[in-house]
Amino acid sequence: MCGIVGYAGARPATPILVRALRDLEYRGYDSAGIAVLGSADGEGLVITKRVGKIVNLESALDSSPGNEATVGIGHTRWATHGRPSDLNAHPHTSCGGEVVVIHNGIVENYAALRSALTARGHTFASETDTETIAHLMEERTRSGLPLLEALRLTIGELEGSHAIVAMSPSEPGAIVAARVGNAGGVVVGYGEGEMLVASDLAAILPHTQQVAFLASHQLARVDRGGAAYINGDGSPATVEPHRVPIDPVSALKGQYEHFMLKEIMEQPEALSDTIRSLVTIEPAGIHLPDLGAMSDRLSEVRRVILIGMGTSLHAAMVGRAFIERLSGVPAETDNASEFRYRDPVLGPGTLVVSVSQSGETVDVLEAMAVARAKQAMQITICNTEGAQTTRVAGGTVYTRAGLERGVASTKCFTTALVALYALALRMGEANGYLARERIAGHIQDLARLPDAVARVLQDHTPYRALANHFYDARHFLFLGRGLAFPVAMEGALKLKEISYIHAEGYAAGEMKHGPIALVDRSFPTVAVAPAHALRSKLVSNIEQIQARGGEVIVVASEGDDELAALADHAIFMPAVPEFVEPFVATVPLQCLSYYIALRRGCDVDQPRNLAKTVTVE
Ligand code: M6R
């Protein structure tokens, strides 16, 4: 979950590292630090680190030496071992100061390693698991081994998954990096006379689009002249750089106060780009260009299990209904972190569809590893070109949402629904379940989707007004049925993660089996009730809530005056075909959460305790 960056080149490293940490801050933001080698007045290691956001580090750097150093590493932390503090912030050094390390992951056997190292005379400066890595490496560099070899032998002693970057005054100009398991990626960036390493593309793209990704158990040594790679057994590794097509400009906030709002507003375009990349309208056709070997195997599929976490799991829940109803193949969903440990039965003909915008979520990657071991077919839905999930799955359906920076996922949810819709249509086409005319009809519906979403986003007055009315609520209930049930779950997740209001998403039919006991005047309900989502059933749920004094906000299709009259507050969305409703109904809930969080003064883009990409268990 932490952000990692390293720079070796000819330019001053500090501003490059600080800018990169800003670009990575969404990965973790409880402390940050940098280490540079070779200060203006000669050699030496200068480490500066501060608890809190990057701005605190920047203030400290103003009075720190090392401003002309051209090699350095930087880290933004999401704490796992040791509370957020200056001391526990990365980078960490060995006791002799010979090795400096930044790390993403958890050293699962750190307690045993720490006592062994202490017994051998090492002294620890922090409470972190990461510091053990610096001491272990130092034992090797002291015995004369080069830094890369010291790192290679050290990772053999660590349990867990890791991304590690290190440097040493004994090898000025060089940075070494290793990736072990699924704790997070290591990307190597090839600039003009300079090289970068980072946990993800956001830190690299402002400098170069030429990148290479380390696989698990691969290591790299970079200096300003280039990179060399080895495998975990010490043999040379071939890692080819390639050009990634992401536009760095999309990483900027532009006119918007927050990335979340920008990304909500980008949805019509993101949807359009994703739709255009997967379907043609005239002639109507589904083309999934990255499905690879899975293209020819879709008719073999007899059962589908969709997995994901958080928002991506909610997308998977919608995808399940798409697949069952458009391809006739039984489908189920599972939380990836449960799937991986439950020894799932995956018979022949089982397709596992993973959904992950980052493609780096550790629970998803581990679940995919289980599916692979059991020889299931795999397709992944992903927004990140070349991410880990795309390298494990037999085929990928990419979403074209552009970089998503807000911790609360918005455009990646709705674009993932497009990918799942297109996959379901393609499966129905491949196994003969869907006639050509029906496919063409669905494609027409998809083509009109971006406009419908744009209409929802035209006027924010209703969301602001509702936020003013409800911002001090302590609890919220979100209800939906059918395709609107996962939308209700997603609405509740959005609200709780950015506004810290307790919110529950429920299948509306479940309400009277317990949750209704909570309802009173201070416990508002959002009922997601577009025309096709078993609307008439929801009417009785709304009446039951109101009979107990609860206030109800309804999300209804335009023209549904009956529902609007019944509810206390109504948000209207365009009346759209059934399969398009979950896309359109989600957007008002994103806006409602955003404006409630804003009214409460919350840090919308960096909510407490969260990180954008969850690479630890
Ligand atoms: O990158 P992924 O899609 O795999 O991420 C999964 C979840 O961590 C993510 O959706 C999380 O729930 C978001 N913060 C939700 O807004």
Side-chain angles (χ1 to χ4, degrees):
M1 327 254 287
C2 308
I4 287 179
V5 63
Y7 173 83
R11 293 188 282 159
T14 299
I16 293 170
L17 295 172
V18 170
R19 151 116 204 236
L21 292 183
R22 286 211 161 282
D23 288 332
L24 294 173
E25 199 173 12
Y26 67 97
R27 291 182 67 99
Y29 32 79
D30 59 39
S31 54
I34 69 168
V36 291
L37 261 179
S39 55
D41 55 348
E43 289 149 25
L45 185 63
V46 181
I47 299 178
T48 313
K49 43 195 205 176
R50 285 293 180 276
V51 70
K53 297 211 169 167
I54 309 271
V55 64
N56 298 357
L57 174 67
E58 282 181 284
S59 312
L61 283 166
D62 288 343
S63 55
S64 166
N67 286 341
E68 286 171 33
T70 57
V71 182
I73 58 178
H75 186 271
T76 179
R77 179 171 187 242
W78 187 85
T80 60
H81 290 69
R83 71 204 153 81
S85 68
D86 286 355
L87 267 185
N88 289 334
H90 299 213
H92 292 288
T93 46
S94 51
C95 29
E98 286 165 37
V99 178
V100 58
V101 170
I102 54 179
H103 168 226
N104 181 17
I106 295 175
V107 181
E108 289 172 3
N109 55 334
Y110 96 102
L113 290 173
R114 188 174 172 128
S115 32
L117 284 159
T118 308
R120 297 205 290 271
H122 292 266
T123 48
F124 279 76
S126 76
E127 302 156 332
T128 66
D129 53 336
T130 300
E131 199 184 326
T132 54
I133 302 171
H135 295 290
L136 288 169
M137 286 182 71
E138 184 183 72
E139 288 191 344
R140 279 146 182 147
T141 54
R142 276 194 177 167
S143 67
L145 288 177
L147 197 58
L148 187 64
E149 189 60 4
L151 178 56
R152 185 182 77 79
L153 295 172
T154 296
I155 60 177
E157 286 193 66
L158 308 178
E159 286 174 16
S161 294
H162 312 278
I164 302 167
V165 171
M167 62 182 192
S168 167
S170 64
E171 285 184 46
I175 295 173
V176 295
R179 173 166 182 210
V180 182
N182 294 321
V186 176
V187 193
V188 178
Y190 289 69
E192 292 287 328
E194 58 188 18
M195 297 290 292
L196 295 107
V197 289
S199 48
D200 54 10
L201 285 169
I204 305 261
L205 285 173
H207 307 284
T208 176
Q209 285 175 262
Q210 198 65 18
V211 301
F213 293 89
L214 289 194
S216 181
H217 291 92
Q218 280 183 336
L219 298 92
R221 181 187 189 280
V222 304
D223 57 32
R224 57 185 290 193
Y229 300 95
I230 58 168
N231 295 309
D233 61 5
S235 61
T238 310
V239 180
E240 295 296 346
H242 62 275
R243 192 174 167 78
V244 285
I246 296 175
D247 173 10
V249 176
S250 71
L252 303 174
K253 235 186 269 181
Q255 56 174 305
Y256 296 102
E257 196 180 340
H258 295 103
F259 280 114
M260 183 182 179
L261 182 59
K262 173 179 181 260
E263 289 156 5
I264 289 172
M265 297 303 288
E266 281 172 350
Q267 286 178 109
E269 197 185 340
L271 288 165
S272 211
D273 289 347
T274 306
I275 293 165
R276 269 191 278 118
S277 71
L278 303 176
V279 307
T280 51
I281 296 166
E282 201 52 65
I286 317 282
H287 310 281
L288 307 181
D290 300 293
L291 223 41
M294 280 308 303
S295 289
D296 300 326
R297 300 191 63 192
L298 291 180
S299 58
E300 291 171 35
V301 177
R302 299 287 171 266
R303 175 187 176 219
V304 179
I305 304 178
L306 298 106
I307 57 171
M309 299 300 293
T311 289
S312 291
L313 177 59
H314 299 151
M317 289 166 73
V318 179
R320 165 193 152 176
F322 287 166
I323 287 172
E324 286 203 330
R325 292 182 55 192
L326 296 173
S327 74
V329 176
E332 59 202 91
T333 54
D334 206 348
N335 178 300
S337 65
E338 291 295 314
F339 176 90
R340 64 174 286 199
Y341 287 119
R342 75 174 163 85
D343 193 15
V345 178
L346 309 178
T350 300
L351 169 68
V352 173
V353 176
S354 49
V355 185
S356 174
Q357 72 78 22
S358 61
E360 303 288 345
T361 298
V362 72
D363 293 303
V364 175
L365 287 165
E366 296 296 345
M368 290 177 78
V370 169
R372 179 146 81 169
K374 292 180 182 256
Q375 291 167 1
M377 294 178 272
Q378 292 204 58
I379 291 176
T380 197
I381 312 291
C382 187
N383 192 51
T384 311
E385 194 92 18
Q388 282 310 306
T389 50
T390 68
R391 280 179 266 157
V392 178
T396 299
V397 185
Y398 279 110
T399 53
R400 302 290 168 191
L403 212 52
E404 187 178 72
R405 300 287 300 273
V407 163
S409 187
T410 52
K411 61 179 181 174
C412 284
F413 175 76
T414 46
T415 52
L417 299 191
V418 171
L420 289 159
Y421 196 171
L423 177 63
L425 289 171
R426 180 72 195 91
M427 286 176 63
E429 183 181 47
N431 67 14
Y433 188 81
L434 275 186
R436 185 163 290 279
E437 312 78 66
R438 279 191 65 200
I439 295 176
H442 284 288
I443 289 178
Q444 289 298 334
D445 295 345
L446 262 177
R448 286 190 280 266
L449 166 64
D451 274 353
V453 168
R455 282 181 54 203
V456 176
L457 290 170
Q458 257 163 15
D459 181 12
H460 290 211
T461 323
Y463 315 125
R464 286 183 191 276
L466 286 168
N468 278 333
H469 185 75
F470 286 108
Y471 75 95
D472 61 352
R474 297 190 55 209
H475 311 276
F476 257 92
L477 188 61
F478 285 73
L479 298 180
R481 285 176 181 263
L483 285 169
F485 167 43
V487 174
M489 301 278 289
E490 176 58 9
L493 176 62
K494 280 298 82 92
L495 185 67
K496 69 185 129 191
E497 69 181 332
I498 59 167
S499 71
Y500 318 139
I501 294 175
H502 166 237
E504 298 284 352
Y506 265 94
E510 183 73 14
M511 186 198 70
K512 53 193 174 301
H513 298 278
I516 199 166
L518 296 166
V519 170
D520 61 18
R521 187 72 195 160
S522 66
F523 198 116
T525 298
V526 177
V528 189
H532 298 92
L534 298 167
R535 173 202 165 281
S536 57
K537 298 277 178 200
L538 258 162
V539 169
S540 29
N541 296 132
I542 293 169
E543 283 167 340
Q544 288 155 10
I545 290 166
Q546 290 183 319
R548 280 137 189 106
E551 249 184 301
V552 176
I553 305 168
V554 74
V555 178
S557 300
E558 270 162 4
D560 195 339
D561 297 332
E562 185 200 356
L563 214 47
L566 178 65
D568 302 276
H569 311 269
I571 304 174
F572 286 112
M573 55 175 258
V576 291
E578 180 184 11
F579 282 38
V580 178
E581 279 182 346
F583 300 81
V584 184
T586 299
V587 178
L589 305 186
Q590 297 169 343
C591 294
L592 184 63
S593 300
Y594 173 76
Y595 284 106
I596 288 180
L598 196 66
R599 183 69 175 74
R600 287 166 71 90
C602 296
D603 190 344
V604 173
D605 282 335
Q606 294 179 345
R608 68 186 181 204
N609 306 338
L610 294 179
K612 179 71 182 162
T613 307
V614 182
T615 54
V616 292
E617 267 197 86

